[in-house]
Amino acid sequence: MTQEMQGQDIEQVRALAGLFESSADELESARQQVTAAVFGFDGYGPNVDQMRGEWSDRLAPTLSDIAEALREAGDKATRNADAQEDTSNSYDGNPFAGVSTQGHGSSDDDGGGPLDWLGDKAGDLWDAGGDALDWTGDKVGDLWDAGTDAVGNAWDAGTNLVGKVWDAGTNLAGNVWDAGTNLAGNIWDAGTNLAGKLWDAGTNAVDWLGDRGSDALDWIGDRASAIGGAWENVADSGLQLWDATGGAILDGEWPRTTEVIASQIRLGGALLGAGITGASLGMLDPKVFDDGDPYAGDPRDVALPRPPESVADIARSVTDAYATDGTVRVTTVQGPDGPRVIVSVPGTEAWNPSAGDNPMDLTGNLVTAGGSRSTMSDAVVLAMENANIPPGAEVMMVGHSQGGMTVADLTSDSAFVDKYNVTHAMTYGSPIDSAHIDPSVNVLEMQHQHDVVPRLDLGDARYNPFSPNPALPGGHNESGNHTTVTFDDPGSAFNAKANHDHSEAYPNSMANSNDPGYLAYQESLRNSGFLVNVDDTGTPSRPVSAQDIQVGRKN
């Protein structure tokens, strides 16, 4: 049997002792480095304080203890090596006589011998040191991460703060700029508005002064125009009187009494009006007998026109026109050979000597009776133009009172008769003895026995200025086509209103008349197509339509 080595390998034990010592130094150095790291960085807060406390109180002392244990193990190993070496040197030739590897020494070697025990202890200590270092590394890493996170957060917070401060600064600067520009803009706007208001105020003041000046000039112009118009009316009235007197003589006719008296009345009224206008500096302008200028409106269709079945019906159409002041009615009867047109002209509707809008007034009476062309006559012509009477259509003119005077005045104008192809004329309650109606016109003149109005022309009496009685006998200017019919009074001879009434008295007298001249005239109208037959339902034998035209005086 081979003899085995007994005891320790002294060199290995000494090497192990050195390893323990160097390991203890490394642990101590690691402890110092970690301590410097743990307390050497800028960190604050509960987590940092806890980590530093745990390192100082538990981990760092543990490393120191392990390092001390390693040193003690190294010292022990060194002592064992020294003891082994002394034992070997004193043994009788056998260097390992003191220890047997098969035997058991102390109970702490776990059966493996001192080297195994020391190795195990050293491994355990090293593992414990490694764990401590790993834990410390982890904690330091965590702290580093926390620190870097804190630094990053602080950096982010700083950059955010700087950004916010920058933004706040730029916003503040922008707000200050905006406020400044707004203030400047407001100041500019206020200045421009003030300048504009001052300009407007100035221009308004200038305009106001201009308006006042213009108003003053207009007022002066109006007053001057009123005064001038009043004296123009005096001049027109004077010319009318001249035509009725000297002009008639120059024409080879002796003046007619009605024309002279009517012209004198008009001239006297015009002088009175001019005196009032002049005395008031034009502020009062009564326009006494100032006939002005004519106008006519657009035609208005009549919904249910009256069919002209007789002369009385034609007279009632004039009454229908009386329903609205200043109205002329134009009735059209259709026939196989063309239309027949009846123009109905009402009489006087206003008796005020101050001339108004309606030419059917006292002024129109004086102008027509004085022998001049009145605004009423011209307005009827305009109404006929607006009615668009078909060219070549036969026309009948009908009028009551002043309307009859207008009809006689127009039909005395051969140019008017030719232009509108006037074939018939009918008047009632009208003074037309002085009219020179065109002989081509078939005329029916009707009057009640004691109607005063038809006798105002004094039977065409001549004027005698050298006699207390200025009226000299005259003669009717009647042609062969002129028929005069006098009806019995509808009532008392002294009832002037009833005797001149157009609504019932005259139409009834016509309907009941058996006068041969009247009946012959009515038959001529029927033969000419102006009259129609009407059945029991009121339907005419031929179509009948009518239009109303408003006429007036511009003054």
Side-chain angles (χ1 to χ4, degrees), residues 142-178:
D142 292 341
L143 289 174
W144 177 261
D145 292 339
T148 54
D149 290 341
V151 171
N153 292 335
W155 175 262
D156 292 339
T159 53
N160 289 337
L161 178 60
V162 170
K164 289 181 179 179
V165 171
W166 175 261
D167 292 340
T170 54
N171 289 336
L172 178 61
N175 291 335
V176 170
W177 175 261
D178 292 340

Side-chain angles (χ1 to χ4, degrees), residues 96-122:
F96 301 106
V99 179
S100 175
T101 60
Q102 301 298 319
H104 296 280
S106 172
S107 63
D108 293 334
D109 63 0
D110 199 20
L115 290 177
D116 291 338
W117 180 86
L118 288 174
D120 291 339
K121 289 297 182 179

Side-chain angles (χ1 to χ4, degrees), residues 12-28 66-78 80 114-126:
Q12 290 183 2
V13 172
R14 290 189 186 280
L16 178 61
L19 178 61
F20 285 162
E21 186 65 28
S22 63
S23 297
D25 291 340
E26 289 179 3
L27 284 176
E28 184 62 26
I66 294 171
E68 185 62 29
L70 287 174
R71 286 191 179 93
E72 289 179 357
D75 290 342
K76 185 176 181 179
T78 299
N80 287 338
L115 290 177
D116 291 338
W117 180 86
L118 288 174
D120 291 339
K121 289 297 182 179
D124 292 339
L125 289 174
W126 182 260

Side-chain angles (χ1 to χ4, degrees), residues 258 433-434 454-462 472-477:
T258 299
D433 290 343
S434 300
R455 292 166 176 79
L456 291 176
D457 57 3
L458 304 177
D460 196 32
R462 306 299 174 171
L472 297 176
H476 295 302
N477 292 295

Side-chain angles (χ1 to χ4, degrees), residues 20 251 278 288 375 379 489:
F20 285 162
D251 289 339
V288 178
T375 291
D489 294 332

